[in-house]
Structures are given as C-alpha cells and as structure tokens.
Amino acid sequence: QSALTQPPSASGSPGQSVTISCTGTSSDVGGYNYVSWYQQHPGKAPELMIYGVSKRPSGVPDRFSGSKSGNTASLTVSGLQAEDEADYYCSSYAGSNKLVFGGGTKLTVL
Amino acid sequence: QLQLQESGPGLVKPSETLSLTCTVSGGSISSSSHYWDWIRQPPGKGLEWIATMYYSGSNYYNPSLMSRVTISVDTSKNQFSLKLSSVIAADTAVYYCARHDPTDEQLDYWGQGTLVTVSS
C-alpha cells in the first residue's frame, strides 16, 4: 500500500486557476470512484473539500472541483483567493477497507 | 454539530504503548451509517491512515501498522480508542480521529488532533 503521488508544491496568482494531481494505481485511484481531497491550514485539522471524485460538501465554494482520468485524480481551484493557500491531500479507497493518502501539495497564492 | 476530541498523554517513552481516546459529541458512535478512523501526521509530513472501526466491532488496519495497533469502542461513553504498542521515535505525530462515511469513503468530520511525542 504505497502513498499516492502528489506534486510537492503548486502556485498561482489571485484569480487564476491551479490544478493539483494525485496519481495512484488501478488498485486505488483507478479502481474506485472514491477519491477525496482535504485542505489543511497550518496547525489545523484537515477539512474535506471534495469526495466521490467530484462531489462538494455543503459550504465548500464551487471554485473547488475534482475529476479523475484513469489512475490520476485532480483538484482544480478556480479564482484563487488568499485563503486558499494551504496544504492539500488526496485520499483514495484502496480495497479491503483500506484508505491511502497522497503525500500532500503545498499551494501558494502569489 | 458533530464534534470529535482526542485525549491522552502527550509524551510516551520508547517501547511503551501509546493510548488515545476520541470522544464524540453531537452524534452517536453507534450510528449504523458511519465508521470511525484514526489518522496520524508526523511533524512536517503527510497524513497516514491508521485504522477504521465500526461500532459493532469490525476493525480494519493499515498493513504497515497492523501488528502494533488495537482499536476499540465504548458505546456507553460514545468513545473509541487507539493503542499503538512498542512505539519508536518515528511514531511521533499529531494523531487525529475522524468520522468515516462509507458512502464515498470520505472523512467528513475531524478532531483537532493531539501531538504525541515518543521520547525518553
């Protein structure tokens, strides 16, 4: 059970869009539509932003969207705002009641 | 509003057992619709799933930690617990408890986390 692969960092200017990738295998990301994305600000607990690949919990701005193609899932943040600067983690169901996380991506708003 | 709160010692000696409890308020741990998870995050590093439990006693563990982890539930106190045995410095982390919705396998409510340091 290896961690999912995310780029260590991503950045964009206010108002721009940025996409963060999350690559796994056919045993996790590619095998199930159970990819979630979490936002974590420094010193805080993670917060669910996207689940089921592309679903948004109530209260999450529609600037956040998710998608998946093959073994790679993506999180897109449109209309970047200063408060979007945070660490982002993907997770996927990996079969047999197991979960696996990505290594995390630090998003910087320039 | 559902809330989760981790509690336990902040310092554990190497080779001893780390014990944490998660207290759930604003909802029942006996809900048939949800599971309950433990996740950890070493300082400056990423998240690692530790285990999932169902109130009826079904437990699922990260294979890399399975030999050292035990999770249990106390429905009368609306709590669930984590024990990690034979700890080493690499087990130093912020430990989170979370509610797990099996509909889409998401962790929708998280505790604030508690830092456990393994040191003599």
Side-chain angles (χ1 to χ4, degrees):
Chain A
Q1 184 178 346
S2 301
L4 307 177
T5 300
Q6 296 181 234
S9 63
S11 62
S13 299
Q16 289 186 332
S17 293
V18 64
T19 297
I20 299 170
S21 63
C22 170
T23 301
T25 69
S26 57
S27 296
D28 39 63
V29 175
Y32 309 93
N33 287 323
Y34 298 143
V35 176
S36 300
W37 290 91
Y38 301 89
Q39 178 190 67
Q40 186 180 37
H41 287 109
K44 300 295 186 182
E47 178 184 354
L48 179 67
M49 304 301 283
I50 295 288
Y51 66 100
V53 176
S54 60
K55 302 174 187 177
R56 268 190 317 275
S58 61
V60 173
D62 60 6
R63 302 184 294 102
F64 291 85
S65 62
S67 62
K68 190 186 87 167
S69 178
N71 296 336
T72 298
S74 299
L75 172 72
T76 297
V77 186
S78 305
L80 270 176
Q81 299 182 5
E83 63 258 35
D84 298 334
E85 184 161 298
D87 293 328
Y88 291 84
Y89 293 91
C90 62
S91 77
S92 175
Y93 182 69
S96 301
N97 295 290
K98 295 191 299 291
L99 290 179
V100 61
F101 284 96
T105 298
K106 182 177 181 59
L107 175 60
T108 300
V109 181
L110 301 170
Chain B
Q1 174 78 344
L2 189 77
Q3 292 185 326
L4 297 90
Q5 177 70 57
E6 304 88 351
S7 60
L11 181 64
V12 180
K13 289 181 168 56
S15 79
E16 295 189 346
T17 296
L18 176 161
S19 296
L20 295 174
T21 295
C22 181
T23 301
V24 178
S25 58
S28 173
I29 202 169
S30 302
S31 164
S32 60
S33 303
H34 297 99
Y35 293 168
W36 306 90
D37 285 33
W38 287 99
I39 305 97
R40 70 180 183 178
Q41 184 173 34
K45 297 187 178 181
L47 300 169
E48 179 181 33
W49 171 72
I50 300 172
T52 295
M53 60 143 279
Y54 192 54
Y55 79 97
S56 63
S58 299
N59 300 328
Y60 310 98
Y61 300 104
N62 185 322
S64 68
L65 297 169
M66 183 184 303
S67 63
R68 298 193 292 133
V69 173
T70 303
I71 52 177
S72 59
V73 62
D74 186 336
T75 55
S76 67
K77 295 182 179 179
N78 224 31
Q79 295 176 334
F80 63 107
S81 299
L82 169 73
K83 290 187 186 299
L84 180 65
S85 64
S86 305
V87 297
I88 60 175
D91 293 315
T92 293
V94 175
Y95 285 77
Y96 295 100
C97 57
R99 191 179 79 168
H100 178 152
D101 188 333
T103 307
D104 286 292
E105 306 294 349
Q106 73 270 29
L107 304 176
D108 54 3
Y109 287 89
W110 293 65
Q112 66 185 32
T114 186
L115 174 63
V116 179
T117 301
V118 178
S119 175
S120 55

